[in-house]
Amino acid sequence: MRDKILEKSSELFLNLGFKSVTMDKIASDCGVSKKTIYKYFKNKTELVAAVADFMFSSICTGIDLICVLKKNPIEEIFEIKRFVISNLKDEKSSPQYQLQKYYPKIYTSLSRKQFGVMQNCVIENLENGIQQGIYRDKIDTEFISRIYFSGMMSIKDKDVFPLDHYSMNTLMDKYLNYHLRGICTEKGIEQLENQLKQK
């Protein structure tokens, strides 16, 4: 039952936002009483924290499954992007922005975990790309992994990039294009162009 509550809550929070979804709504959509939900989560904040962890773990598992395939590094980046977008419903409700605004402690904790996972993944991608002659061999992988994370977090700021101007899918495509053109060799640029044509 706990997993069912987490799954349904994740879906509601992504589609409607963390603030607007009530415990009554979650109970109704799960087909249980509020008392049942409170048996597993003492309040909404605890449920939000559990949902954030649940979503983070699900996405990490999916990304690991993509990375284990050892695809071309540029193809891998776009495959991860597609996976994340499909799992976050194109971020219609700006979940990161809402977490930051209404649940700052949960947001800070999640950001730290995201950074640790994303940095390792990006550095591995960069090193593979250098070995394959797709990325330039003089790049500072540590620095670029931090810039990459910072940029990915920044494009989710709806004050800077309002969702009525840009979909999250468009923003991520533009950001990946920007990121990759700064580090690719000519061979890498060709592969990037091929990826962009496949959209």
Side-chain angles (χ1 to χ4, degrees), residues 56-68 80 83 87:
F56 176 73
S57 295
S58 298
I59 288 172
C60 284
T61 300
I63 290 173
D64 286 346
L65 290 173
I66 292 168
C67 291
V68 99
I80 289 171
F83 170 76
N87 275 267

Side-chain angles (χ1 to χ4, degrees), residues 115-150:
F115 174 70
V117 169
M118 191 183 282
Q119 188 183 34
N120 290 337
C121 183
V122 172
I123 286 176
E124 188 174 333
N125 180 278
L126 292 169
E127 288 172 348
N128 289 339
I130 291 167
Q131 286 173 7
Q132 294 176 35
I134 291 168
Y135 303 147
R136 290 183 287 108
D137 59 3
K138 300 293 187 198
I139 59 175
D140 183 333
T141 56
E142 171 79 18
F143 174 77
I144 289 170
S145 71
R146 291 173 182 273
I147 287 288
Y148 183 81
F149 177 79
S150 176

